[in-house]
Amino acid sequence: MPEIVNVGFNPVFREVNASRVRYRVLKGGAGSGKSFNLAQDYILKLGDPRYKGANLLVLRKVDDSNKYSTYSELCGAVQRIYGARWEKYWRIGSSPMMLRSLITGNEIVFRGMADIRQRERVKSISFASGKLCWIWCEEATEFEQEDVEILDDRLRGVLPNENLYYQITLSFNPVSSAHWIKRRFFDAPSDNAILCHSTYRDNRFCDAAYARRMEDRKLH
């Protein structure tokens, strides 16, 4: 592993980052740092030889939305963690969007699930080495429950490395009381899911001006 540079985490995410349960459910408002955290968490794990054979599928409901959200976050995490020599450790492709660790061979690919065609495309994903182990659904409230069930069905089979595990991560802004995510994970807690709630107050990287703006919004 390279020398890690300028990488830090917010304590609120420590438990969820370490968890190996099937579902990680991260609810957080604007400025909470949940996506920033997940990008760093995945880049560190996928570049670690202990997790050789793991691959990550990242989804937004609309495929193109990944470009300026999840893809940007993950590329930024590579450059923060590996510094000026990041190209020695990672390959980043833009067309199509993808990332590959040059140490482990682990890959990150991006998809959407806006229609039947995209759903079928997700079902046929395969990798040159290893298996699809991890799935990240960003802005998960945009997904139908059936979308996530389709994804969940993809995580199966014997894994090539005893350190690997299957996991789906859902990240989203606070959910309405009528949403399926609330019914599925919050109304019926399970040992197979870990829940994490964060706000801008949990984000030690949040600047003072932004924090003040968020406080002001509560009053107006």
Side-chain angles (χ1 to χ4, degrees), residues 179-191:
H179 200 279
W180 70 266
I181 288 179
K182 180 178 183 297
R183 295 194 305 273
R184 172 67 175 80
F185 294 105
F186 292 87
D187 293 347
S190 165
D191 291 341

Side-chain angles (χ1 to χ4, degrees), residues 149-205:
E149 289 173 354
I150 289 170
L151 296 170
D152 210 349
D153 288 342
R154 294 284 291 112
L155 302 184
R156 63 185 186 273
V158 177
L159 292 169
N161 178 340
E162 64 182 6
N163 294 316
L164 301 185
Y165 52 95
Y166 290 121
Q167 188 174 74
I168 295 178
T169 297
L170 308 178
S171 56
F172 52 92
N173 291 327
V175 64
S176 80
S177 60
H179 200 279
W180 70 266
I181 288 179
K182 180 178 183 297
R183 295 194 305 273
R184 172 67 175 80
F185 294 105
F186 292 87
D187 293 347
S190 165
D191 291 341
N192 210 21
I194 184 170
L195 311 180
C196 178
H197 182 204
S198 58
T199 73
Y200 68 93
R201 291 178 175 174
D202 298 305
N203 187 358
R204 63 189 178 95
F205 305 108

Side-chain angles (χ1 to χ4, degrees), residues 13 26 32-40 70 73 136 138-139 171:
F13 300 116
L26 284 76
S32 68
K34 61 186 182 300
S35 300
F36 181 97
N37 168 80
L38 288 171
Q40 290 194 157
T70 56
E73 288 280 13
W136 174 16
E138 171 71 319
E139 301 295 349
S171 56

Side-chain angles (χ1 to χ4, degrees), residues 30-85:
S32 68
K34 61 186 182 300
S35 300
F36 181 97
N37 168 80
L38 288 171
Q40 290 194 157
D41 181 47
Y42 281 127
I43 293 301
L44 284 170
K45 287 173 179 171
L46 290 165
D48 187 334
R50 290 177 298 175
Y51 299 108
K52 183 176 176 61
N55 294 287
L56 169 66
L57 169 62
V58 182
L59 300 110
R60 293 285 304 267
K61 182 66 173 180
V62 177
D63 191 5
D64 290 346
S65 301
N66 283 302
K67 183 175 182 180
Y68 297 109
S69 58
T70 56
Y71 176 74
S72 294
E73 288 280 13
L74 288 157
C75 291
V78 166
Q79 293 171 33
R80 282 192 305 276
I81 293 168
Y82 291 83
R85 301 177 64 198

Side-chain angles (χ1 to χ4, degrees), residues 1-140:
M1 288 289 287
E3 180 180 354
I4 303 300
V5 295
N6 194 33
V7 59
F9 287 90
N10 286 310
V12 69
F13 300 116
R14 184 176 295 118
E15 184 179 4
V16 75
N17 287 351
S19 178
R20 296 191 172 202
V21 297
R22 182 82 171 190
Y23 309 102
R24 298 193 300 179
V25 184
L26 284 76
K27 176 177 72 171
S32 68
K34 61 186 182 300
S35 300
F36 181 97
N37 168 80
L38 288 171
Q40 290 194 157
D41 181 47
Y42 281 127
I43 293 301
L44 284 170
K45 287 173 179 171
L46 290 165
D48 187 334
R50 290 177 298 175
Y51 299 108
K52 183 176 176 61
N55 294 287
L56 169 66
L57 169 62
V58 182
L59 300 110
R60 293 285 304 267
K61 182 66 173 180
V62 177
D63 191 5
D64 290 346
S65 301
N66 283 302
K67 183 175 182 180
Y68 297 109
S69 58
T70 56
Y71 176 74
S72 294
E73 288 280 13
L74 288 157
C75 291
V78 166
Q79 293 171 33
R80 282 192 305 276
I81 293 168
Y82 291 83
R85 301 177 64 198
W86 69 266
E87 290 178 290
K88 178 180 178 182
Y89 301 100
W90 282 85
R91 178 191 167 198
I92 296 177
S94 59
S95 183
M97 293 181 291
M98 61 81 65
L99 291 84
R100 178 184 297 119
S101 168
L102 300 178
I103 302 301
T104 63
N106 296 340
E107 294 184 350
I108 305 173
V109 297
F110 301 82
R111 296 289 188 272
M113 296 192 76
D115 53 37
I116 293 174
R117 180 185 61 82
Q118 290 189 345
R119 283 180 171 183
E120 290 302 315
R121 189 179 178 208
V122 163
K123 292 179 182 179
S124 64
I125 287 175
S126 61
F127 297 89
S129 64
K131 290 182 64 78
L132 173 59
C133 291
W134 302 329
I135 295 174
W136 174 16
C137 297
E138 171 71 319
E139 301 295 349

